[in-house]
Amino acid sequence: MSTKPAAGRPTPTKPRGRQSTFDRDEALLTALELFWRHGYEGVSLADLTSAMGIAAPSLYHAFGNKAELYRAVLRRYGADGMSAADIAATPSALEAARRMLERGVAAVTRPGRPLGCMISSGMLMAGPENAALAGELRALRATLRVALQERIERDVSEGMLPAGTDAATLSRLVASVLQGLSVQALDGAPGGELLAVARAALMAWPKGHDK
């Protein structure tokens, strides 16, 4: 975790002099790291402009406002992960769950990056003024869970899993473990231990024709 000055402000990781122009993708990555380390409510507009080396009007022109910048950061962050389409395209629901958990472990313990997952751990608690944005994050988390549930239901209908399989509970189990991996990584759990947890969770998978 990065250190903060006495006033409690996040310390920009790459301070630069103010610029008249800037690289949008570089600015997005700078904002991503700040939001990832300190959370949405822990980063001020002044923190963002200082780290990017731009004036507030330039940030507004490029991204609209702080909330829109955060949304852009989430899209950039999520592009590296597993999507609902990826889950639907896997050979089986078990394989989809395995990939979700293994990629999740890799993402939350990646060397040189902040620990934890921006989406799994993002805005779990937020002030009333940010309730709508927090709701969008909950919806993002739900999207993958629902996609896995639908993939499980497909396996049931195709006879790959027993007819009595509770797809909603099974997908919620995977989502809960995935979210827990992020919290455990923030608490300092090493990747090897988290991977063992992920594999142990998959032992609860119903026995069927899926290998």
Side-chain angles (χ1 to χ4, degrees), residues 56-173:
S58 296
L59 185 148
Y60 289 131
H61 177 75
F63 300 104
N65 55 35
K66 179 185 170 184
E68 288 301 323
L69 172 59
Y70 188 68
R71 292 184 178 100
V73 161
L74 289 176
R75 289 193 294 272
R76 175 66 177 79
Y77 179 84
D80 295 332
M82 200 165 181
S83 68
D86 293 330
I87 293 171
T90 52
S92 69
L94 175 58
E95 180 60 24
R98 181 183 292 114
R99 292 181 189 180
M100 288 173 68
L101 294 174
E102 289 181 352
R103 291 186 188 184
V105 170
V108 300
T109 59
R110 191 171 300 163
R113 304 293 296 275
L115 297 173
C117 173
M118 272 193 74
I119 295 176
S120 291
S121 301
M123 299 190 77
L124 296 177
M125 299 181 68
E129 68 279 10
N130 295 315
L133 197 56
E136 292 176 30
L137 263 171
R138 286 195 299 273
L140 279 175
R141 291 189 285 266
T143 295
L144 292 183
R145 176 178 54 78
V146 170
L148 180 60
Q149 178 177 333
E150 292 173 349
R151 187 66 190 83
I152 294 168
E153 290 168 348
R154 197 168 99 205
D155 277 6
V156 173
S157 68
E158 294 174 356
M160 297 177 68
L161 286 173
T165 299
D166 187 340
T169 298
L170 194 55
S171 61
R172 181 76 70 178
L173 169 66

Side-chain angles (χ1 to χ4, degrees), residues 101 172-182 194 197-199 201:
L101 294 174
R172 181 76 70 178
L173 169 66
V174 174
S176 298
V177 173
L178 190 61
Q179 200 161 20
L181 293 173
S182 177
L194 296 180
V197 169
R199 290 170 178 164

